[in-house]
């Protein structure tokens, strides 16, 4: 109760100071409902996009993984190595298959990290 009666050099009491501090906080924290709704809509769309991208990325990764084990031309029956091992097409196939698998798995991890986050806008910025 003593602080309420005290007045500083400018003629302000503690209630004046609380009012000023409250006004500054209100300006920082208050957002319009339209802005909050817009942020929620953005997060909802980002979640739906991440779900679709993760499905497509898993399918691409599955195909790339299967292609690595079913080599074009098939294996040599006596040695087990691919028949087209010494051809330039096989090197191109191997490089593109490894790249597609790496990019697809990176996309899966990114999509899953978006889906498992706390759904706050500042997490996505």
């Amino acid at each position: 109760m003593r602080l309420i009666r005290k007045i500083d050099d400018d003629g302000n009491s503690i209630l004046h100071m609380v009012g000023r501090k409250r006004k500054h906080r209100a300006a920082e924290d208050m957002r319009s409902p339209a802005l909050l709704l817009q942020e929620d809509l953005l997060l909802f769309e980002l979640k739906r996009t991440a779900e679709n991208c993760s499905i497509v990325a898993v399918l691409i990764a599955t195909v790339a993984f299967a292609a690595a084990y079913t080599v074009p031309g098939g294996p040599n029956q006596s040695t087990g190595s691919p028949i087209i091992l010494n051809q330039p097409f096989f090197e191109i196939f191997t490089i593109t298959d490894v790249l597609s698998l790496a990019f697809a798995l990176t996309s899966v991890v990114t999509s899953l990290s978006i889906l498992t986050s706390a759904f706050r806008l500042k997490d996505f910025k």
Side-chain angles (χ1 to χ4, degrees), residues 8 10-11 19-20 22 24 28-30 32 34 49 55 60 67 69 78 81 88 92 100 107 117-118 125:
D8 66 358
D10 295 329
R20 285 186 191 155
R22 185 78 162 152
H24 292 300
E28 293 173 2
D29 294 338
M30 293 297 289
S32 69
T49 302
I55 291 170
I60 292 172
Y69 282 100
S78 60
S81 63
I92 293 170
S100 67
S107 178
S117 70
K125 288 186 178 179

Side-chain angles (χ1 to χ4, degrees), residues 14-89:
I14 193 163
L15 296 176
H16 289 99
M17 300 306 288
V18 169
R20 285 186 191 155
K21 187 165 184 121
R22 185 78 162 152
K23 188 187 302 182
H24 292 300
R25 273 200 184 161
E28 293 173 2
D29 294 338
M30 293 297 289
R31 292 181 289 175
S32 69
L35 183 60
L36 293 173
L37 185 61
Q38 182 182 11
E39 288 178 0
D40 290 342
L41 183 62
L42 175 68
L43 293 178
F44 181 73
E45 289 175 2
L46 187 59
K47 181 182 178 237
R48 181 173 285 173
T49 302
E51 288 173 353
N52 295 335
C53 287
S54 66
I55 291 170
V56 171
V58 167
L59 290 174
I60 292 172
T62 304
V63 170
F65 185 76
Y69 282 100
T70 56
V71 179
N76 187 347
Q77 295 299 324
S78 60
T79 62
S81 63
I83 294 174
I84 60 171
L85 182 63
N86 297 325
Q87 294 183 5
F89 170 74

